[in-house]
């Protein structure tokens, strides 16, 4: 029978229930969900009829027990069976057809209708096959409703923005109540089920697996869709993100909640990576990948190269090795990479891999290395040893690689203020400046220049140049030692003075340097005479430098010939200067005196030759062969005789002497004998020293002038410019001084160190020299 609408259908249903029992079900089918629901609702409100739902008759595993529902509805009462077609359509078209064929012939004891949807094609076949079936089937005309899609999800996290249906029974109940509006608003219905989706591959419905948590996230959140790819995370990570996104309007909202903003995200790298929270590490990486870091070009580069958080550290360490040294952003990449790696835990395997990759750059390798790891420091000094570099290249390499090392390599100028000499010997100051510039260059590059060795041998001849310098004890004896604390640095040579002066400026310490000579031989036992000027509680000894030079197993020259120890030497000095500065700040120190007993020579260790003479040490461990007890002067050209010791002034060692393992002293080379005496005080608070006008005009036949202002009185204002001192003349008061600077003849930018007498005020001022322009009257 065919009906045009549901009213006609109910007439047929009423006729069926009011008439004589047929012994069979009446099958009612509609292709429209609204019509289906209209019929169902009228059946449910009819108290004379009992509705049996397949969704309420399921096996323990959740699958529908259609036969049980049919059995109930075939009893001796008035029944309406709901959900048979939906349950069978989940299985297959053939299962639906077979069950319809079975139900059409199923004997029942009372009255029963089976409400179906989307079964017209199958029912027509039965009606055409057996004319008797026309009385058992009602087909309702109307618009055909599209079938819903069914998606299977394994976890609730995959269902972003909606609550999924839980299990097959709930799905059947949903399908039994489906309307056209529901299907239109939700064309795909998602079910949580442990059943594999392949179990329903033959279903009449379109049954597929949920596209995944990532797809669900991108569907709901456009900023995730626009900035990410599925490969950026695992299903577990995307599921965790989905749970974090609960209640958030966007991914950016979550990032702001977690990190404060979507900019400057790299500032959180240190805290997040130190926490070792893998989920938060992934979230921060994903945030960086999504929103970028516009101010960090190197981070932008590595983010482009890595597609998952697990490779982030690898790219952070290694990608710079692939950047050509001629790249316009090379220096920026270098700086940003160093800063970035300081925020990540040290990764020794990746550091080694990075250093291995740099080998292809040959001598340019030095420009890729930093002082952030022992491996890189080793490769840096090794590369300087293997290849030839100009002083300018070394300056460029140290400037980026290590600020302490770069400061160490600067010149310390031995001048009339810090190096007292007879006027006839004043040229020796320039000799010292040049000597220690070349000494440091050779120490760093692990070599000895032939011309420098000749100079050492010349200085080793009697009369020896160091004798021109004041004895250390003479300098200290004339000092005002009131409220002075002495810091006795064992083996602190003048080679470190450029570094010490730079650090004093950084820490706000006013310094006054005096250059003297120690006693020969240059060993500690012979060079403690200055302690007589200090009470026991007024001096302390710092042995760390000497320990590095003599007792280190890490830097043993026989095991590693490269000057890797230099980095630690600078760290030791810096640590002590910081401690002194802290004591000034705390008010426990008013004046500090840094004194060295002697210096030390790295190049004598590097040279490694024994003296060809009959003198031989009886005690092999004595001072590494640089000095030898002797009853009388051996009268050798390179040997000084002092206080019962024969002392070598060149780079050789006496036979029998134990090889030094890092650096050596005891001899009379300049680096062993010349010592610094440094007075430190705290720079006054709120000090203001500046040029009245930092621009000077260069005019023909007129000496350039600078005017200095200081808000504290200066007793003897002086400026050090390009190695030359200029004395100031007070103008009106003790706060203004005028300086004539005759050597400034070219335009350009200059800097001046401010002194008060011999005290370096730790103030560096910039000024500019420019040619005076002349106006021309064109009329």
């Amino acid at each position: 029978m065919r009906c045009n609408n549901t009213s006609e259908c109910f007439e047929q249903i009423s006729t069926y229930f009011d008439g004589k029992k047929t012994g069979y079900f009446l099958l009612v089918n509609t292709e429209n969900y609204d019509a289906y629901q209209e019929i169902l609702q009228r059946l449910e409100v009819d108290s004379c009829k009992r509705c049996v739902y397949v969704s309420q008759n399921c096996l323990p595993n959740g699958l529908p027990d259609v036969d049980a529902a049919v059995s109930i509805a075939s009893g001796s009462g008035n029944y309406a069976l709901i959900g048979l077609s939906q349950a069978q359509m989940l299985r297959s078209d053939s299962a639906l057809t077979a069950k319809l064929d079975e139900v059409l012939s199923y004997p029942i004891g009372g009255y029963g209708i089976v409400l179906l949807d989307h079964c017209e094609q199958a029912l027509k076949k039965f009606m055409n096959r057996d004319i008797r079936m026309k009385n058992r089937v009602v087909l309702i005309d109307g618009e055909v409703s599209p079938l819903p899609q069914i998606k299977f999800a394994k976890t609730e996290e995959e269902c972003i923005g909606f609550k999924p249906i839980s299990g097959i029974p709930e799905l059947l109940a949903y399908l039994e109540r489906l309307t056209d509006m529901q299907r239109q608003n939700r064309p795909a219905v998602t079910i949580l089920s442990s059943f594999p989706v392949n179990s329903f591959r033959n279903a009449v419905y379109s049954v597929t697996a949920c596209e995944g948590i990532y797809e669900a996230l991108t569907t709901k959140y456009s900023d995730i869709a626009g900035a990410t790819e599925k490969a950026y995370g695992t299903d577990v990570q995307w599921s965790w993100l989905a749970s974090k996104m609960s209640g958030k309007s966007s991914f950016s909202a979550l990032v702001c909640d977690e990190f404060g903003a979507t900019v400057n995200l790299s500032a959180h790298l240190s805290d997040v990576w130190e926490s070792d929270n893998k989920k938060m590490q992934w979230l921060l990486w994903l945030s960086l990948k999504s929103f970028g870091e516009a101010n960090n070009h190197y981070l932008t580069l590595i983010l482009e190269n890595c597609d998952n958080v697990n490779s982030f550290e690898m790219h952070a360490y290694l990608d710079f090795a692939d950047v050509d040294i001629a790249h316009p952003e090379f220096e920026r990449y270098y700086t940003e990479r160093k800063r970035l790696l300081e925020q990540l835990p040290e990764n020794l395997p990746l550091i080694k891999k990075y250093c291995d990759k740099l080998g292809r750059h040959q001598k340019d390798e030095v420009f890729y290395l930093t002082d952030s790891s022992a491996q890189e420091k080793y490769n840096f000094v090794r590369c300087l040893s293997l290849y030839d570099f100009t002083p300018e290249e070394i300056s460029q390499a140290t400037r980026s690689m290590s600020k302490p090392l770069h400061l160490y390599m600067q010149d310390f100028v031995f001048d009339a203020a810090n190096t007292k000499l007879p006027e006839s010997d004043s040229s020796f100051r320039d000799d010292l400046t040049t000597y220690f510039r070349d000494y440091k260059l050779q120490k760093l590059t692990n070599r000895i220049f032939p011309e420098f060795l000749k100079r050492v041998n010349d200085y080793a001849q009697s009369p020896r140049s160091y004798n021109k310098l004041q004895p250390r004890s003479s300098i200290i004896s004339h000092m005002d030692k009131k409220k002075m604390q002495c810091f006795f640095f064992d083996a602190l040579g003048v080679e470190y003075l450029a570094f010490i002066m730079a650090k004093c400026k950084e820490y706000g310490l006013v310094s006054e340097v005096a250059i003297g000579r120690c006693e020969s031989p240059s060993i500690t036992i012979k060079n403690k005479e200055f302690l007589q000027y200090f009470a026991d509680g007024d001096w302390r000894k710092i042995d760390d430098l000497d320990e590095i030079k003599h007792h280190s197993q890490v830097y043993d020259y026989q095991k590693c010939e490269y000057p890797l120890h230099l980095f630690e030497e600078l760290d030791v000095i810096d640590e002590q200067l910081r401690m002194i500065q802290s004591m000034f700040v705390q008010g426990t120190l008013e004046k500090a005196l840094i004194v060295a007993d002697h210096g030390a020579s790295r190049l004598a260790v590097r040279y490694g030759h024994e003296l060809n003479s009959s003198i031989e040490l009886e005690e092999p461990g004595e001072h590494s062969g640089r000095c030898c007890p002797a009853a009388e002067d051996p009268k050798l050209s390179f040997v000084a005789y002092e206080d019962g010791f024969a002392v070598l002034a060149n780079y050789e060692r006496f036979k029998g002497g134990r090889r030094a393992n890092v650096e050596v002293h005891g001899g009379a080379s300049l680096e062993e004998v010349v010592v610094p005496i440094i007075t430190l005080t705290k720079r006054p608070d709120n000090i203001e020293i500046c040029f009245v006008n930092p621009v000077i005009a260069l005019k023909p036949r007129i000496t350039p002038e600078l005017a200095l202002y200081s808000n504290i009185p200066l007793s003897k204002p002086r400026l050090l410019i390009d190695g030359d001192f200029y004395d100031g003349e007070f103008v009106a008061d003790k706060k203004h001084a005028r300086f004539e600077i005759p050597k400034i003849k070219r335009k350009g930018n200059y800097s001046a160190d401010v002194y008060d007498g011999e005290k370096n005020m730790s103030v560096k001022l910039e000024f500019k020299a420019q040619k005076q322009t002349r106006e021309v009257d064109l009329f």
Side-chain angles (χ1 to χ4, degrees):
M1 294 173 287
R2 183 170 290 279
C3 299
N4 293 321
N5 48 53
T6 56
S7 296
E8 293 182 8
C9 173
F10 259 94
E11 291 178 5
Q12 297 297 327
I13 292 175
S14 297
T15 300
Y16 171 78
F17 278 101
D18 293 337
K20 184 179 178 180
K21 293 181 182 179
T22 65
Y24 297 102
F25 287 110
L26 177 67
L27 278 58
V28 178
N29 180 77
T30 176
E31 303 290 302
N32 182 270
Y33 287 127
D34 286 346
Y36 185 97
Q37 293 305 317
E38 184 180 347
I39 297 170
L40 175 58
Q41 290 169 14
R42 291 182 64 174
L43 289 173
E44 288 177 327
V45 299
D46 188 346
S47 59
C48 296
K49 299 178 179 62
R50 176 189 172 188
C51 292
V52 179
Y53 304 92
V54 173
S55 61
Q56 296 176 2
N57 290 269
C58 291
L59 299 169
N61 63 2
L63 292 176
D65 189 349
V66 176
D67 290 340
V70 170
S71 177
I72 294 171
S74 64
S76 59
N78 296 332
Y79 292 92
L81 179 59
I82 313 298
L84 179 144
S85 56
Q86 292 90 328
Q88 294 304 107
M89 288 164 70
L90 270 178
R91 295 180 60 189
S92 66
D93 183 64
S94 59
L96 173 64
T97 301
K99 185 57 66 178
L100 291 175
D101 192 11
E102 178 184 334
V103 169
L104 279 170
S105 303
Y106 198 93
I108 64 176
Y111 295 91
I113 70 168
V114 181
L115 185 58
L116 305 170
D117 73 78
H118 293 83
C119 295
E120 184 170 320
Q121 294 301 320
L123 293 172
K124 280 183 178 180
K125 292 179 182 178
F126 297 130
M127 293 165 68
N128 292 333
R129 185 186 64 188
D130 188 343
I131 194 171
R132 293 173 300 175
M133 298 303 167
K134 291 183 179 181
N135 295 324
R136 301 180 192 172
V137 175
V138 176
L139 302 177
I140 305 172
D141 292 335
E143 185 177 352
V144 178
S145 299
L147 294 176
Q149 301 173 32
I150 299 173
K151 295 183 178 295
F152 273 61
K154 293 181 180 178
T155 64
E156 193 167 355
E157 285 76 13
E158 297 175 34
C159 309
I160 307 298
F162 63 89
K163 184 174 179 61
I165 289 172
S166 181
I168 299 295
E170 192 172 320
L171 171 65
L172 292 172
Y174 173 83
L175 294 174
E176 290 169 355
R177 300 290 177 178
L178 187 61
T179 66
D180 280 326
M181 181 64 71
Q182 287 176 316
R183 198 221 63 84
Q184 182 178 342
N185 293 337
R186 191 178 177 185
V189 57
T190 303
I191 172 178
L192 287 178
S193 176
S194 59
F195 285 107
V197 70
N198 283 343
S199 299
F200 302 91
R201 62 183 179 276
N202 296 320
V204 176
Y205 296 109
S206 172
V207 179
T208 59
C210 218
E211 291 179 332
I213 186 65
Y214 174 75
E215 289 77 11
L217 280 167
T218 55
T219 299
K220 183 170 177 61
Y221 302 105
S222 59
D223 50 357
I224 294 179
T228 69
E229 297 178 12
K230 186 175 183 179
Y232 291 176
T234 64
D235 286 344
V236 172
Q237 288 168 333
W238 291 121
S239 295
W240 176 78
L241 178 61
S243 66
K244 296 283 287 184
M245 292 292 294
S246 177
K248 301 293 189 297
S249 60
S250 63
F251 182 52
S252 59
L254 172 65
V255 173
C256 289
D257 284 349
E258 294 292 338
F259 305 116
T262 58
V263 295
N264 298 323
L265 290 167
S266 61
H268 301 276
L269 280 169
S270 180
D271 290 340
V272 172
W273 250 257
E274 280 185 11
S275 72
D276 202 32
N277 184 326
K278 300 301 181 183
K279 292 178 180 178
M280 289 302 295
Q281 288 176 6
W282 176 72
L283 178 60
L284 179 57
W285 174 85
L286 185 68
S287 303
L288 284 165
K289 190 80 171 170
S290 300
F291 300 106
E293 193 82 333
N295 294 325
N296 192 319
H297 292 196
Y298 183 67
L299 184 55
T300 300
L301 173 70
I302 67 172
L303 287 170
E304 290 174 354
N305 292 340
C306 70
D307 288 336
N308 61 76
V309 67
N310 295 330
S311 66
F312 176 67
E313 284 188 48
M314 181 191 72
H315 285 284
Y317 273 95
L318 304 184
D319 284 6
F320 186 57
D322 297 323
V323 177
D324 191 275
I325 196 169
H327 193 285
E329 292 203 280
F330 183 87
E331 291 186 9
R332 177 167 186 161
Y333 283 165
Y334 177 95
T335 302
E336 292 177 344
R337 174 185 181 270
K338 186 174 182 179
R339 194 181 311 128
L340 174 64
L341 293 185
E342 287 172 353
Q343 296 180 269
L344 300 175
E346 186 178 45
N347 190 315
L348 295 179
L350 286 178
I351 291 172
K352 184 180 185 308
K353 193 170 183 179
Y354 175 71
C355 291
D356 291 343
K357 286 189 70 175
L358 294 181
R360 57 182 165 161
H361 295 294
Q362 298 181 312
K363 68 178 291 185
D364 287 341
E365 176 182 347
V366 294
F367 300 108
Y368 291 79
L369 295 165
T370 74
D371 61 352
S372 301
S373 67
Q375 179 72 53
E376 288 179 87
K377 291 174 184 176
Y378 173 86
N379 279 43
F380 184 82
V381 293
R382 175 179 175 274
C383 195
L384 290 180
S385 301
L386 293 176
Y387 299 99
D388 292 328
F389 293 87
T390 66
E392 291 75 18
E393 288 174 326
I394 290 176
S395 178
Q396 178 187 350
T398 57
R399 182 182 296 109
S400 55
M401 190 268 185
S402 168
K403 180 182 176 182
L405 188 59
H406 185 66
L407 295 176
Y408 167 82
M409 293 301 294
Q410 302 309 297
D411 286 350
F412 175 81
V413 178
F414 294 82
D415 53 47
N418 56 48
T419 309
K420 304 301 183 185
L421 289 168
E423 186 58 34
S424 59
D425 293 320
S426 60
S427 62
F428 186 52
R429 298 186 187 106
D430 292 336
D431 292 345
L432 286 172
T433 301
T434 303
Y435 181 93
F436 283 100
R437 173 196 302 145
D438 294 341
Y439 172 81
K440 290 188 289 186
L441 181 64
Q442 292 167 99
K443 177 175 176 176
L444 178 61
T445 58
N446 199 37
R447 64 193 71 197
I448 300 176
F449 303 141
E451 61 274 17
F452 184 83
L453 186 60
K454 182 179 183 303
R455 203 185 322 169
V456 171
N457 292 332
D458 290 341
Y459 284 137
Q461 303 287 344
S462 181
R464 296 178 180 89
S465 301
Y466 61 79
N467 288 318
K468 303 172 184 178
L469 298 170
Q470 291 180 294
R472 173 189 49 231
S473 58
S474 175
I475 296 173
I476 296 176
S477 67
H478 291 90
M479 285 182 167
D480 177 8
K481 293 175 281 295
K482 186 179 180 181
K483 297 182 179 180
M484 178 182 281
Q485 174 83 30
C486 177
F487 295 85
F488 170 12
F489 276 73
D490 198 337
L492 181 75
V494 294
E495 65 177 279
Y496 307 105
L497 277 173
F499 174 75
I500 292 172
M501 292 301 98
K503 286 296 177 180
C504 285
K505 290 178 184 178
E506 182 180 338
Y507 300 147
L509 302 177
V510 176
S511 59
E512 185 176 352
V513 178
I515 302 299
R517 60 177 168 85
C518 74
E519 302 298 325
S520 290
S522 56
I523 55 179
T524 302
I525 194 67
K526 296 291 185 180
N527 281 279
K528 297 192 290 185
E529 84 294 335
F530 57 88
L531 295 178
Q532 65 183 301
Y533 300 110
F534 301 93
D536 287 345
D538 291 340
W539 66 274
R540 65 174 66 182
K541 190 166 184 282
I542 294 99
D543 291 316
D544 299 28
L545 274 178
D546 195 62
E547 288 294 315
I548 293 171
K549 296 175 189 295
H550 295 319
H551 306 297
S552 173
Q553 297 301 311
V554 177
Y555 307 120
D556 191 334
Y557 186 80
Q558 309 308 319
K559 299 176 182 178
C560 173
E561 67 177 34
Y562 306 121
L564 197 57
H565 67 292
L566 180 52
F567 295 98
E568 188 172 346
E569 288 181 330
L570 299 178
D571 286 343
V572 165
I573 296 170
D574 187 34
E575 181 183 351
Q576 293 301 320
L577 290 175
R578 285 176 181 270
M579 183 267 294
I580 291 172
Q581 192 263 357
S582 177
M583 292 173 70
F584 278 125
V585 171
Q586 295 171 23
T588 59
L589 185 65
E590 289 190 25
K591 188 189 298 184
L593 182 69
I594 293 177
V595 186
D597 51 351
H598 51 74
S601 178
R602 172 67 173 184
L603 298 191
V605 177
R606 175 68 180 165
Y607 189 59
H609 291 183
E610 289 186 338
L611 177 68
N612 186 20
S613 79
S614 59
I615 296 180
E616 186 169 342
L617 286 170
E618 295 180 1
E619 298 181 32
E622 190 75 19
H623 310 301
S624 303
R626 294 292 289 159
C627 60
C628 177
E632 58 183 25
D633 188 348
K635 299 188 183 306
L636 295 171
S637 59
F638 297 151
V639 178
Y641 186 68
E642 302 282 351
D643 197 19
F645 279 85
V647 182
L648 281 169
N650 63 0
Y651 280 165
E652 294 178 308
R653 71 173 186 274
F654 289 114
K655 291 180 180 179
R658 174 180 55 82
R659 287 176 178 268
N661 60 350
V662 181
E663 294 194 7
V664 67
H665 61 86
S669 67
L670 289 182
E671 58 267 30
E672 294 170 283
V673 172
V674 182
V675 292
I677 300 98
I678 309 167
T679 305
L680 299 177
T681 54
K682 183 176 180 289
R683 189 170 63 195
D685 294 331
N686 303 318
I687 186 173
E688 182 180 352
I689 299 178
C690 63
F691 289 128
V692 175
N693 185 352
V695 179
I696 60 175
L698 300 177
K699 302 178 182 178
R701 297 177 297 280
I702 297 178
T703 303
E705 292 185 358
L706 277 169
L708 182 74
Y709 167 77
S710 170
N711 68 338
I712 62 170
L714 301 176
S715 60
K716 187 181 178 182
R718 308 170 78 205
L719 296 179
L720 176 62
I721 303 173
D722 289 342
D724 294 310
F725 274 99
Y726 299 90
D727 293 330
E729 178 183 292
F730 286 115
V731 180
D733 57 24
K734 289 280 188 177
K735 294 186 177 181
H736 292 82
R738 181 178 64 86
F739 294 83
E740 290 187 351
I741 315 174
K743 291 189 177 182
I744 301 294
K745 300 180 182 299
R746 295 178 177 274
K747 65 178 182 179
N749 296 316
Y750 297 86
S751 63
D753 291 308
V754 180
Y755 280 72
D756 186 13
E758 296 178 2
K759 292 181 181 178
N760 186 331
M761 298 300 293
S762 294
V763 174
K764 184 182 286 289
L765 302 177
E766 308 292 329
F767 68 94
K768 182 178 183 180
Q770 63 184 27
K771 291 184 178 181
Q772 178 69 51
T773 58
R774 185 178 60 182
E775 294 184 3
V776 179
D777 189 347
L778 299 177
F779 301 97

